[in-house]
Amino acid sequence: MIIVLRPEAPPEAAERLLTRIADAGLKPLHMPGAERVVLGALGDERVLAELALDGDPDVESVKPILAPYKLVSRELQAHDTIVRVGGVPFGGSAFQVVAGPCAVETRDQLRATAEAVKAAGASALRAGAYKPRTSPYGFNGHGPAALDLLRETGDALGLPVITEVMDTADVERVAERADALQIGTRNMQNFSLLRAAGRAGRPVVLKRGMSAKIEELLLAAEYLMASGNDQVILCERGIRTFEPATRNTLDLNAIPYIKLKTHLPVIVDPSHGTGIRELVTPMSLAAAACGADGLLIEVHENPPAAWSDGAQSLYPEQFAALMESLRAVARAVGRTLP
Amino acid sequence: MIIVLRPEAPPEAAERLLTRIADAGLKPLHMPGAERVVLGALGDERVLAELALDGDPDVESVKPILAPYKLVSRELQAHDTIVRVGGVPFGGSAFQVVAGPCAVETRDQLRATAEAVKAAGASALRAGAYKPRTSPYGFNGHGPAALDLLRETGDALGLPVITEVMDTADVERVAERADALQIGTRNMQNFSLLRAAGRAGRPVVLKRGMSAKIEELLLAAEYLMASGNDQVILCERGIRTFEPATRNTLDLNAIPYIKLKTHLPVIVDPSHGTGIRELVTPMSLAAAACGADGLLIEVHENPPAAWSDGAQSLYPEQFAALMESLRAVARAVGRTLP
Amino acid sequence: MIIVLRPEAPPEAAERLLTRIADAGLKPLHMPGAERVVLGALGDERVLAELALDGDPDVESVKPILAPYKLVSRELQAHDTIVRVGGVPFGGSAFQVVAGPCAVETRDQLRATAEAVKAAGASALRAGAYKPRTSPYGFNGHGPAALDLLRETGDALGLPVITEVMDTADVERVAERADALQIGTRNMQNFSLLRAAGRAGRPVVLKRGMSAKIEELLLAAEYLMASGNDQVILCERGIRTFEPATRNTLDLNAIPYIKLKTHLPVIVDPSHGTGIRELVTPMSLAAAACGADGLLIEVHENPPAAWSDGAQSLYPEQFAALMESLRAVARAVGRTLP
Amino acid sequence: MIIVLRPEAPPEAAERLLTRIADAGLKPLHMPGAERVVLGALGDERVLAELALDGDPDVESVKPILAPYKLVSRELQAHDTIVRVGGVPFGGSAFQVVAGPCAVETRDQLRATAEAVKAAGASALRAGAYKPRTSPYGFNGHGPAALDLLRETGDALGLPVITEVMDTADVERVAERADALQIGTRNMQNFSLLRAAGRAGRPVVLKRGMSAKIEELLLAAEYLMASGNDQVILCERGIRTFEPATRNTLDLNAIPYIKLKTHLPVIVDPSHGTGIRELVTPMSLAAAACGADGLLIEVHENPPAAWSDGAQSLYPEQFAALMESLRAVARAVGRTLP
């Protein structure tokens, strides 16, 4: 329920009503706005009805939140949330590009790639320390050692660091080293991991499951927010369809649709979304044009030698050229690259 | 096969080789270029091999066309084809917007909508005279009377007219009235219709089947070209996936991918591709950003009163605003709106 | 609307009411049952309401048909329709197997295969005279000559003949030669072809579009019935999904679901539904177990030499073994093989 | 690699070769057969090549395992694996039915349902203690208390117990109480959970991810086997497609396909595979007919009162009737119900 207070309601009315909500076993929310104070109450609808808050003299109106997700919904919060990753804001007028190799391979590979993306204008560094692999015999990341290299490299270059966490047992360790945790496509409905990430005190980049409906993505984000984390960045990374020409089908429809439904920022991963290097640049520009708040791009200092995802990784000079093109498109839709 | 002649080959060499190709029962192609003459030979690979053209003194090299589509392939023709619809070029540096109502309802509705899209900068008029309907009880178009209205309206406003043909028996009639024929998503593999449209002497806008792989779309275009029509415009209009939030999933990956594989122009229909009015503008901008050659957009003078597709039709003022935004994005990627 | 007459209503009541329905511009339907006479009225719901048939003294009740398809719906006709193809009944207690090669290649190939499937117990012969091919350069059937061979072979062996028609212009010719017309997966929403086939005076086997929802299949059948043809057999043949291991994903869920919704018989094509010879037998047994009324199976006297679909065609001895297994499974679910 | 020893090779040859394989850092496998001893070696292909085992005098042949999965492949083990869950064999000639409620709700509900399925002939009991829920606000199971109730009920009725584990942290606890662990569709690529379940010393029922290719399912099973667990039962439970009529599209093609590729048993969950009670019985029969080794079925003593999945749960009397029908179909394909 969304409870809108009357303009003339005294400040203590909010407090009084929040206590009533909490006493009834419901989750109270306080959202003071510029013109009006709005409260929220989440939980059993019948208990909510019994409270009869619409009869309270300080209450102007009570409306249900129609969406199955609540905290995530624009019904509850109309204005955009800005999420800060190590000081870099996602969700405002700036368009942020996060770039880096698929995996941390060696100190030199990471450093060379990080320097290249920093020089071209990237806002943050991405690279995998823990790699989900379809086969148990694939390279699955250097783990803690890679986390240390990421921190060291990020600090040296002044780039915030984003990396994937796959196991509840690793959440704390990753949260100590990284500026934001990434939840991968295969774990979007790993609810234990979502709950643990929700309590980790770090922003979370939540990737859409490869066959997740948008509503399911928003409900996965609701898990994070309901666990106490309101620093959530959504990420469209392509869905699974019948089309074999591309690795996935990047669903850019999702960007403006998500923007209608939620206040959270949303970024796009055209590398996994296409799987083809030649498509990364045009789809990055398309993402900027349709309203995304940023990109997550795989760049490698030497793609043919990459241990994974070489075919979709940009060469550093391609990335630099992409950043130039992005500047023009972002400007055309009223956004700026930092 | 692609047969590249030596720079010093005399002009009659091409003629001689084309005769040999034709005499062997194969389809000969002549593609004189600025620097070099290139010939093509389509048909049974074994017959081709027996010709042993690579031993001919005027032949520099013989290469197979690896793609299953031939005439459509960039392997055969590297430069972009420009298709002219009533004088309007698709596939060059201009970005063309085709707009109009889903269906021709009345003379006034068509005229009012056509005037609005013309005023905002549309290059051509679209509207359905024959409507494919999932149910036999739906409105299926005014047929020939609508064709006459379309012609009259197009002539009055100086707008070329594009409209769908669904039946082989109607191809001639539609070709008499319209500047380009449209083959709809449900008929992309109606091979009889493709063959008839290939012989109609009009450009064809070929929409991707809602579950067609890109390769199948290109093979459907090959039907048109193999029937003698090289004036083909491809159109991405959304594919069928598991996602119910949008009517279809607009597959913009297809745009740069198609541009890699074929020399034909490709446009995007964000109205059917999303099914949601609020998504048409952002996805139009995305289409322009990723390299499409134009758009096909549903606009209605009064969407709530539309007989079909009202929920995805733009209001005239929304369309005018879209054209403004498009101008900026097209410029950012080096294209111009006329 | 479904109009149920009172038990005591005189015979002339039905006639009187049907006239009122027709006079109002609606389509009247007469469905005399064992216990009660039921009438139907299809068309504009508002006109129907104005007739106020529920106030008529001979009318017991008036109910809307909730499904978007009407004539096809079990709401309108509760009992199963039996469709006879050259005397062979589809939809009753017998389980019918239609078999034959993908295409008519030669007189000998057709005859040898037909004899083999007849000997093993097939009820009817299938083979393509007109072949839809993804590429314009593929073998697309011998056309009229193949129709003659089919008729000749069917007559010689006493097997009804089922073959695909792809073009409105061919409907009459195919209807003269074949005992039933087949509408292929690519033409399920070729509405002109559906209307023509609906008027051809022959039973129609309607294959599900490869990305058609079940509701769309039933609406396509409604086109046939609304054009005057109540002899319609539905056919599940696999849908397009993300799974590349099989050519299509045979959707057997559709069989019991369709049986809930419509009175029309439904058969299964496991050859196209799987694309893999080794899977045809188990999926045929599964189809029989879940309630299908029959099968459509590709058999070739010599699959490795088949001009098309060799990998999914059964050898004659495999087909004979399948028929044995089918007998046992059909019996287990209360059906019989003729 | 698969290393086949010569018939005359002495027993110590196997030991000697396995030591060479292990010393080279590869995983050695010993598969003594009735006629011939077969060894396996998994790991880096280049190291394998350097061993040059095909030059060893006791070795007859060395063949690569072509599939990306190795331990799971029929190339490595041709005969069927039989997995025992609390004494009940899956994968042999018996067809096993696992049944029970979606979730453990109360002691009485569990007991009543368990008694009903036991009386009808079920081989094992299923019910959720930990429930994955799309929304954070749904009922997510009674956890440890439900595990105790499951153990108590299983012991009282002599039914082995199968239940889902969602979190690495719970694996040990669930393995103490249940006879087999279930990995759910959302966790099929939760690789940490797979590794933990692989070490838990209990059989595992691995459900196919709702958008997992069959190859990915087999690679997930490879994770379990590579972690030391060869007691794996695969489960097809429906995939996500464009079809909205059913909750999922049960992919029965997968059953015979999986049987071609792997020696592991495979069962079918028609409850989630259809989501519609009326479809559970026909699809169960279809599963038995196409070669599945068993079923996983939701039954509730009172489906309308179920806390979850009521619409797809069978009434006890429906389940009893299903078991009767299953007996007949299983017999028709040479299987027996215990």
Side-chain angles (χ1 to χ4, degrees):
Chain A
M1 289 289 177
I2 298 164
I3 301 116
V4 184
L5 301 198
R6 292 185 189 279
E8 66 274 17
E12 58 271 23
E15 215 170 309
R16 178 177 55 82
L17 287 160
L18 290 168
T19 306
R20 278 191 65 196
I21 291 167
D23 287 351
L26 305 170
K27 184 183 174 69
L29 300 165
H30 191 204
M31 292 162 291
E35 299 170 29
R36 206 67 71 86
V37 171
V38 175
L39 308 181
L42 300 185
D44 189 317
E45 298 276 319
R46 288 162 302 183
V47 175
L48 279 170
E50 278 168 26
L51 283 182
L53 294 176
D54 46 1
D56 190 284
D58 291 322
V59 169
E60 183 174 290
S61 65
V62 174
K63 296 182 293 187
I65 305 174
L66 298 176
Y69 39 87
K70 310 296 177 190
L71 300 165
V72 157
S73 171
R74 268 212 200 275
E75 298 176 61
L76 194 64
Q77 178 187 315
H79 67 272
D80 286 347
T81 286
I82 294 184
V83 176
R84 290 181 186 277
V85 176
V88 173
F90 288 77
S93 64
F95 184 85
Q96 307 292 2
V97 180
V98 184
C102 175
V104 176
E105 298 169 6
T106 65
R107 168 177 278 121
D108 290 351
Q109 167 254 13
L110 182 64
R111 183 63 182 254
T113 308
E115 285 176 353
V117 303
K118 165 85 178 177
S123 304
L125 176 64
R126 57 140 293 152
Y130 300 92
K131 302 297 305 170
R133 299 307 296 262
T134 303
S135 162
Y137 308 121
F139 168 60
N140 56 20
H142 291 311
L147 290 177
D148 290 343
L149 283 176
L150 267 171
R151 186 69 272 155
E152 169 194 319
T153 308
D155 286 348
L157 300 176
L159 284 173
V161 158
I162 300 175
T163 198
E164 179 166 356
V165 61
M166 293 167 55
D167 193 328
T168 317
D170 297 325
V171 166
E172 205 176 329
R173 192 199 316 258
V174 176
E176 271 169 23
R177 295 292 193 288
D179 297 285
L181 310 181
Q182 181 181 308
I183 307 265
T185 187
R186 292 170 183 78
N187 281 314
M188 192 201 84
Q189 291 193 318
N190 179 339
F191 301 121
S192 304
L193 185 61
L194 290 174
R195 287 214 177 84
R199 294 185 298 261
R202 287 286 186 189
V204 175
V205 175
L206 177 64
K207 295 187 107 175
R208 182 179 181 185
M210 62 185 85
S211 70
K213 298 176 189 175
I214 296 170
E215 185 175 295
E216 293 168 337
L217 170 63
L218 296 178
L219 281 162
E222 186 84 5
Y223 264 92
L224 291 165
M225 291 193 72
S227 301
N229 193 337
D230 60 359
Q231 295 290 291
V232 179
I233 299 169
L234 304 172
C235 181
E236 160 63 31
R237 48 78 68 202
I239 57 173
R240 189 160 266 191
T241 70
F242 62 81
E243 175 59 68
T246 47
R247 182 173 176 183
N248 290 288
T249 296
L250 190 67
D251 178 13
L252 289 185
N253 276 353
I255 304 305
Y257 187 84
I258 285 173
K259 285 287 190 185
L260 288 176
K261 299 295 177 184
T262 179
H263 49 84
L264 295 172
V266 57
I267 64 175
V268 170
D269 173 353
S271 305
H272 289 88
T274 66
I276 299 174
R277 186 180 299 124
E278 288 80 1
L279 271 54
V280 171
T281 290
M283 298 312 287
S284 294
L285 302 180
C290 71
D293 296 302
L295 295 167
L296 197 59
I297 297 188
E298 288 187 351
V299 180
H300 193 284
E301 47 144 359
N302 183 14
W307 298 9
S308 53
D309 284 356
Q312 71 195 32
S313 294
L314 294 186
Y315 285 83
E317 54 272 25
Q318 289 177 315
F319 180 69
L322 164 58
M323 292 298 287
E324 274 318 292
S325 306
L326 266 176
R327 249 172 252 284
V329 172
R331 199 182 312 122
V333 295
R335 303 290 284 262
T336 52
L337 257 71
Chain B
M1 289 287 177
I2 298 164
I3 301 116
V4 183
L5 301 198
R6 290 183 191 279
E8 66 273 18
E12 57 272 23
E15 216 170 306
R16 178 176 55 80
L17 287 161
L18 290 168
T19 306
R20 280 189 67 194
I21 291 168
D23 287 351
L26 305 170
K27 184 183 175 70
L29 299 166
H30 191 202
M31 290 163 291
E35 299 169 28
R36 207 66 72 85
V37 172
V38 176
L39 308 181
L42 299 186
D44 189 316
E45 299 275 320
R46 288 161 304 180
V47 176
L48 280 168
E50 279 167 25
L51 283 181
L53 294 176
D54 46 1
D56 190 284
D58 291 323
V59 169
E60 183 173 290
S61 64
V62 175
K63 296 182 294 187
I65 305 173
L66 297 177
Y69 38 87
K70 311 294 178 191
L71 301 165
V72 156
S73 172
R74 270 212 198 273
E75 298 177 61
L76 194 64
Q77 179 188 313
H79 66 272
D80 286 348
T81 286
I82 294 185
V83 176
R84 289 183 186 278
V85 177
V88 173
F90 287 77
S93 64
F95 185 86
Q96 307 293 1
V97 180
V98 184
C102 175
V104 176
E105 297 169 5
T106 67
R107 169 177 275 120
D108 289 352
Q109 168 255 12
L110 182 63
R111 183 63 181 253
T113 308
E115 286 177 352
V117 303
K118 166 85 177 174
S123 305
L125 178 64
R126 58 140 294 155
Y130 301 92
K131 302 297 305 169
R133 300 306 297 262
T134 302
S135 162
Y137 308 121
F139 167 61
N140 55 20
H142 292 310
L147 290 177
D148 291 343
L149 283 177
L150 266 172
R151 185 69 271 154
E152 169 194 320
T153 309
D155 286 347
L157 301 177
L159 283 174
V161 158
I162 300 175
T163 198
E164 179 166 355
V165 59
M166 292 168 54
D167 193 329
T168 317
D170 297 326
V171 167
E172 207 177 329
R173 193 200 315 261
V174 177
E176 272 170 23
R177 295 291 192 289
D179 297 285
L181 310 182
Q182 180 180 308
I183 307 265
T185 187
R186 291 170 185 78
N187 282 314
M188 192 201 82
Q189 290 193 317
N190 180 339
F191 301 121
S192 305
L193 185 61
L194 291 174
R195 286 215 178 84
R199 293 186 299 259
R202 286 284 187 191
V204 175
V205 175
L206 176 64
K207 296 187 107 175
R208 181 180 182 184
M210 64 186 82
S211 70
K213 297 175 190 176
I214 296 171
E215 185 175 295
E216 292 168 337
L217 171 63
L218 296 178
L219 281 162
E222 186 83 6
Y223 265 91
L224 291 165
M225 290 194 74
S227 301
N229 194 336
D230 59 358
Q231 296 289 293
V232 179
I233 300 169
L234 305 172
C235 180
E236 161 63 32
R237 46 78 69 205
I239 57 173
R240 189 158 267 192
T241 70
F242 62 81
E243 175 59 69
T246 48
R247 182 173 175 183
N248 289 289
T249 296
L250 191 67
D251 178 12
L252 289 185
N253 276 354
I255 304 306
Y257 187 86
I258 285 173
K259 284 289 189 184
L260 288 177
K261 299 294 178 186
T262 180
H263 49 83
L264 296 172
V266 57
I267 63 175
V268 171
D269 173 352
S271 305
H272 289 90
T274 66
I276 299 173
R277 186 179 301 125
E278 287 81 358
L279 269 54
V280 171
T281 291
M283 296 313 286
S284 294
L285 302 180
C290 71
D293 296 303
L295 294 167
L296 197 59
I297 297 188
E298 288 188 350
V299 180
H300 194 284
E301 48 145 358
N302 183 12
W307 299 8
S308 52
D309 284 354
Q312 71 194 33
S313 294
L314 293 187
Y315 285 84
E317 55 273 24
Q318 289 177 314
F319 180 70
L322 164 59
M323 292 299 284
E324 275 318 292
S325 305
L326 266 176
R327 248 171 254 283
V329 171
R331 199 182 312 123
V333 294
R335 304 290 285 262
T336 52
L337 258 72
Chain C
M1 287 288 178
I2 298 165
I3 301 116
V4 183
L5 301 199
R6 290 184 191 279
E8 65 274 16
E12 57 272 23
E15 216 170 307
R16 178 175 56 82
L17 287 160
L18 290 169
T19 305
R20 280 189 64 196
I21 291 167
D23 287 352
L26 304 170
K27 184 183 174 70
L29 298 166
H30 190 203
M31 291 162 292
E35 300 169 27
R36 207 66 73 85
V37 171
V38 175
L39 307 181
L42 300 186
D44 190 315
E45 299 276 320
R46 289 160 303 181
V47 176
L48 279 169
E50 278 167 26
L51 283 183
L53 294 175
D54 47 0
D56 189 285
D58 290 322
V59 169
E60 184 174 287
S61 64
V62 174
K63 297 183 293 188
I65 305 174
L66 298 177
Y69 38 87
K70 311 294 178 190
L71 301 165
V72 157
S73 171
R74 270 212 198 274
E75 298 175 62
L76 194 64
Q77 178 188 314
H79 67 272
D80 286 347
T81 286
I82 294 184
V83 176
R84 289 183 186 278
V85 177
V88 173
F90 287 77
S93 63
F95 184 86
Q96 308 292 0
V97 180
V98 185
C102 175
V104 176
E105 297 169 5
T106 67
R107 168 177 277 120
D108 290 351
Q109 168 254 12
L110 182 63
R111 181 65 180 253
T113 309
E115 285 176 352
V117 302
K118 165 86 178 176
S123 304
L125 177 64
R126 58 140 292 154
Y130 301 92
K131 302 297 305 169
R133 299 308 295 262
T134 303
S135 163
Y137 308 121
F139 168 61
N140 57 20
H142 292 310
L147 289 177
D148 291 343
L149 282 177
L150 266 172
R151 186 69 271 156
E152 170 194 319
T153 308
D155 286 348
L157 300 177
L159 284 173
V161 158
I162 300 175
T163 198
E164 178 165 355
V165 60
M166 292 168 55
D167 193 329
T168 316
D170 296 326
V171 166
E172 206 177 329
R173 193 201 314 261
V174 176
E176 273 169 23
R177 295 293 192 289
D179 298 285
L181 310 181
Q182 180 180 307
I183 307 265
T185 187
R186 290 170 185 78
N187 281 314
M188 192 201 84
Q189 290 192 319
N190 179 338
F191 302 121
S192 305
L193 185 61
L194 291 174
R195 287 216 177 83
R199 293 186 300 260
R202 287 284 186 191
V204 176
V205 174
L206 176 65
K207 294 186 107 175
R208 182 179 181 185
M210 64 187 83
S211 70
K213 297 175 190 177
I214 295 170
E215 186 175 295
E216 293 169 337
L217 170 63
L218 296 177
L219 281 162
E222 186 84 6
Y223 264 91
L224 290 166
M225 291 194 72
S227 300
N229 194 336
D230 59 359
Q231 297 288 294
V232 179
I233 299 170
L234 305 172
C235 181
E236 160 63 32
R237 50 75 69 203
I239 56 173
R240 190 159 265 191
T241 70
F242 62 82
E243 175 60 68
T246 48
R247 183 173 176 181
N248 290 288
T249 296
L250 190 68
D251 178 12
L252 289 185
N253 276 354
I255 304 305
Y257 187 85
I258 284 174
K259 285 287 191 185
L260 287 177
K261 298 296 177 185
T262 179
H263 49 84
L264 295 172
V266 57
I267 65 175
V268 170
D269 174 353
S271 305
H272 289 89
T274 67
I276 299 173
R277 186 179 301 124
E278 288 79 0
L279 271 54
V280 172
T281 291
M283 297 313 287
S284 294
L285 302 180
C290 73
D293 295 304
L295 295 167
L296 198 60
I297 296 187
E298 288 188 349
V299 180
H300 193 284
E301 48 145 358
N302 183 12
W307 299 8
S308 53
D309 283 356
Q312 71 194 32
S313 295
L314 292 187
Y315 285 83
E317 55 273 23
Q318 289 177 316
F319 180 70
L322 164 59
M323 291 299 285
E324 275 318 292
S325 306
L326 266 176
R327 248 172 253 286
V329 171
R331 200 182 310 122
V333 294
R335 303 291 284 262
T336 52
L337 257 72
Chain D
M1 290 286 178
I2 298 165
I3 301 117
V4 183
L5 301 198
R6 291 184 189 280
E8 66 274 17
E12 57 271 23
E15 215 170 306
R16 180 176 54 84
L17 288 160
L18 291 168
T19 304
R20 281 189 65 196
I21 291 167
D23 287 352
L26 305 169
K27 185 185 174 71
L29 299 166
H30 191 203
M31 291 163 291
E35 300 169 29
R36 208 66 71 87
V37 171
V38 175
L39 308 181
L42 300 185
D44 189 316
E45 299 275 319
R46 289 160 302 181
V47 174
L48 280 169
E50 278 168 25
L51 282 183
L53 294 176
D54 46 1
D56 190 284
D58 291 321
V59 169
E60 184 173 289
S61 65
V62 174
K63 298 183 293 187
I65 304 173
L66 298 176
Y69 38 87
K70 310 296 176 188
L71 301 166
V72 157
S73 171
R74 269 211 199 274
E75 298 177 62
L76 193 64
Q77 178 187 314
H79 67 272
D80 286 347
T81 287
I82 294 185
V83 175
R84 290 181 186 279
V85 177
V88 173
F90 287 77
S93 64
F95 185 86
Q96 308 292 1
V97 180
V98 184
C102 175
V104 176
E105 297 169 4
T106 65
R107 169 177 274 122
D108 289 352
Q109 167 255 11
L110 181 63
R111 182 63 181 253
T113 308
E115 285 176 352
V117 303
K118 164 86 178 176
S123 305
L125 177 64
R126 59 139 292 152
Y130 300 91
K131 302 297 305 169
R133 299 307 296 263
T134 302
S135 162
Y137 308 121
F139 167 61
N140 55 21
H142 292 310
L147 290 177
D148 291 343
L149 283 177
L150 266 172
R151 186 70 271 157
E152 170 194 318
T153 308
D155 285 348
L157 300 176
L159 284 173
V161 158
I162 301 175
T163 198
E164 179 165 355
V165 60
M166 293 167 56
D167 193 329
T168 317
D170 297 325
V171 166
E172 205 176 330
R173 193 199 316 259
V174 177
E176 271 169 24
R177 295 293 193 287
D179 297 286
L181 309 182
Q182 180 179 307
I183 307 265
T185 187
R186 291 171 185 77
N187 281 314
M188 192 202 81
Q189 291 193 318
N190 179 338
F191 301 120
S192 304
L193 185 61
L194 290 174
R195 287 216 178 84
R199 293 186 299 259
R202 287 285 188 189
V204 175
V205 175
L206 177 64
K207 295 187 107 175
R208 183 180 181 184
M210 64 184 83
S211 71
K213 299 176 189 175
I214 295 170
E215 185 174 295
E216 293 169 335
L217 170 63
L218 296 178
L219 281 163
E222 187 82 5
Y223 264 92
L224 290 166
M225 290 194 74
S227 301
N229 193 337
D230 59 358
Q231 297 289 294
V232 179
I233 299 170
L234 305 171
C235 181
E236 160 64 31
R237 50 76 70 202
I239 56 173
R240 188 159 267 191
T241 70
F242 62 81
E243 175 61 68
T246 47
R247 182 173 176 184
N248 289 289
T249 296
L250 191 66
D251 178 13
L252 288 186
N253 277 353
I255 304 306
Y257 187 85
I258 285 174
K259 284 289 190 183
L260 288 177
K261 298 295 178 186
T262 179
H263 49 84
L264 295 172
V266 56
I267 64 176
V268 171
D269 173 353
S271 305
H272 289 88
T274 67
I276 299 174
R277 186 180 299 124
E278 288 80 0
L279 270 54
V280 171
T281 290
M283 297 312 287
S284 294
L285 301 181
C290 71
D293 296 304
L295 295 166
L296 198 59
I297 297 187
E298 288 188 350
V299 180
H300 194 284
E301 49 145 358
N302 183 13
W307 298 9
S308 53
D309 284 355
Q312 70 194 33
S313 294
L314 294 186
Y315 285 82
E317 55 272 24
Q318 289 177 315
F319 180 70
L322 164 58
M323 291 298 285
E324 275 317 294
S325 306
L326 266 177
R327 249 172 252 284
V329 172
R331 200 182 310 122
V333 295
R335 303 290 285 262
T336 52
L337 257 72

